[in-house]
Structure formats: C-alpha cells, structure tokens
Amino acid sequence: MIQIKMGARQPPKEFAAISCSTRFLGWALRDWVAALLCAIGHRDPNPTAACGSVIWSMSSMKRCLAAFAIAASLFVPVTHANDALEAKVRAYVPVVSLAKVCDLRINDATSGDHRAMLEAVKSDPNANKLAYRLHYETQTAYIKARDGGQRVAFCKDFIAANSQYAKARFTAVVEDHMSDVSTSVQKAIAHNVCGAPPVKLSKADWKPYAQIKKMLQIEHKLAKENAETNGWNVTEETTAVTEQFCAAIKTR
C-alpha cells in the first residue's frame, strides 16, 4: 500500500479560485519562488509567508501583465539545459512543488541535491525556464485531480512514482516513533488498528502504546477537519491516514 497522509495540511487558498487565469498564473510564480527557494531552507510551516513575492507587491495592472508574460514564457519551447542539471530539475522540481499540498517529507539526500540544483539553475536560463514550466504543469495536474475529486489517488500515485525522493510526512513520523518502542508495542498497534493478530503488552509498554494511539487520533481529527473545511471526501481523507499508519508499521 502506498502511504500518503492526506488532509493534515491545508493547501494555499489561491487553489480555490483558479477560474481567473491571471490570479492563478501569478500564484504559480509566487509559489514556485516560495517552494523552491524557501521550503527546503526554512522551518517556517508557511514558507510563502516567510519569503514573500515580488509579483504580489505590484499594482493590479502590473500583476496582470507579469502573469501573462509568465504564461507565454511557460509554453515557449525550452532549449535543452545541461543534461545532468536538466535531469535534476525534472526529478526535484515536481516533488518540491507538491511537498505542501500532498504533505511530503523530502529525504535529506534530495534536499541537499535540490539546494545545489537551485544554485546551478541561477546561471542556466534554459534550466530556469524548464523549472518554471515543470512547476506550472505539476500544479495544474494536481488542481485538475483535486477538483475532480481525485486528490487522494493523485497524491498516492505521485508519491509512488517519486518514492526515492520523498515519502508521506506522517509515514515518516510513524516510522520514527516505531523505532523508539518495543516490538510488542508495534504488534499491539498493528492488531488494534490494522487487524493483525493480538499480542500481550507488559506494564511498561502501555504508556508508549497509548501515546502512539493518541498520535493517530490527532491525525484523524486533523484530516477530518481539513476535509470538511476544503470540501474533500472525509472518508477518503481519514482512511488514507489509517492506511499510511499501517503501512509505516509494516515497514518496521
């Protein structure tokens, strides 16, 4: 089962109003800058707020002109960048682009390569143009799936295709917690939540067992609240949490 925590974090509010192409394309640039220049290097849960964006400080007319200039540039054929750099751009840009909306945790190796890639892109116009284009296309695909009621499936498939670079955040959190508890606690959780065979717990195991169960309850609550707030399918969102939780336990 592919692990994906759906609904624990809200996507940017701008996603809700993509009927205005100017606003969406303006946002595409803003989120590209925030995601690729800030998300990896900042601990702020809202990197776009931490870094800001030039385009949103412009007048309405300037934003309009800038957005359509961006739109035009996205669809101009891109001359090949350096092959090695192009490969990294194609690998890392989509993953970072969806890190927030699909709640991904990017692994350390990818984070380091991504930072180096950003530096190289600055001096390669072709790679820079390719990066903008890939970000736009990735976000467009996500929005189409989300608006069609396929958000959970889309993110599951995306993580499966990019599992060497990132995994669902909650899966990583669960795996970290599982490494700190006994095998008996892991088996007890697997029984209680995932339908595995029963196991007896010692007195010392009850506290960590209760803590992990509490963590799962909190994540379910967050998934339900975010689904209700954003108009997503509540059952799909909460079920995805359980699936991710159980998949993480099975990897231990």
Side-chain angles (χ1 to χ4, degrees):
M1 178 64 67
I2 301 302
Q3 315 98 318
I4 174 66
K5 165 67 173 66
M6 308 303 302
R9 302 291 179 269
Q10 296 184 18
K13 292 183 179 179
E14 291 85 350
F15 282 170
I18 62 168
S19 59
C20 173
S21 58
T22 302
R23 183 177 182 183
F24 173 67
L25 291 169
W27 167 78
L29 174 62
R30 187 201 66 174
D31 199 52
W32 155 253
V33 173
L36 298 186
L37 296 182
C38 305
I40 298 301
H42 287 265
R43 294 297 182 182
D44 194 311
N46 184 3
T48 58
C51 298
S53 174
V54 174
I55 196 168
W56 294 103
S57 66
M58 299 178 182
S59 67
S60 297
M61 178 58 72
K62 287 182 178 180
R63 287 203 303 270
C64 179
L65 294 174
F68 280 102
I70 296 161
S73 69
L74 286 170
F75 295 100
V76 173
V78 178
T79 305
H80 280 295
N82 171 278
D83 287 345
L85 179 57
E86 179 179 335
K88 289 184 177 181
V89 170
R90 291 185 181 280
Y92 301 148
V93 168
V95 174
V96 176
S97 180
L98 292 187
K100 184 173 183 180
V101 295
C102 282
D103 204 14
L104 308 181
R105 175 178 281 188
I106 300 171
N107 64 42
D108 291 341
T110 297
S111 295
D113 280 349
H114 177 261
R115 284 190 290 268
M117 181 208 77
L118 289 180
E119 289 301 316
V121 163
K122 291 178 182 178
S123 60
D124 191 324
N126 294 321
N128 190 47
K129 185 179 292 185
L130 176 62
Y132 272 92
R133 186 170 179 174
L134 286 170
H135 173 72
Y136 179 87
E137 291 172 352
T138 302
Q139 291 286 345
T140 300
Y142 168 80
I143 291 169
K144 181 179 179 181
R146 183 206 64 193
D147 291 350
Q150 298 298 315
R151 196 178 82 91
V152 169
F154 176 89
C155 285
K156 282 184 178 180
D157 290 344
F158 184 82
I159 291 179
N162 295 278
S163 59
Q164 68 270 46
Y165 307 120
K167 66 171 58 180
R169 181 201 61 82
F170 188 51
T171 299
V173 170
V174 173
E175 290 176 348
D176 287 345
H177 278 280
M178 290 297 108
S179 65
D180 296 329
V181 300
S182 68
T183 301
S184 296
V185 171
Q186 295 178 35
K187 290 182 177 180
I189 289 288
H191 164 67
N192 187 272
V193 179
C194 312
V199 62
K200 290 184 178 181
L201 286 176
S202 68
K203 186 176 181 180
D205 285 334
W206 275 106
K207 184 175 181 179
Y209 171 82
Q211 289 174 337
I212 293 174
K213 283 290 298 298
K214 182 66 175 178
M215 179 180 65
L216 177 59
Q217 290 169 0
I218 290 171
E219 293 292 336
H220 273 138
K221 181 181 179 182
L222 286 171
K224 181 176 182 293
E225 290 174 351
N226 285 327
E228 291 172 344
T229 298
N230 293 289
W232 303 331
N233 185 298
V234 174
T235 301
E236 283 190 357
E237 298 292 331
T238 54
T239 298
V241 170
T242 303
E243 290 177 350
Q244 179 184 318
F245 190 88
C246 293
I249 291 175
K250 289 177 183 177
T251 63
R252 300 304 307 165

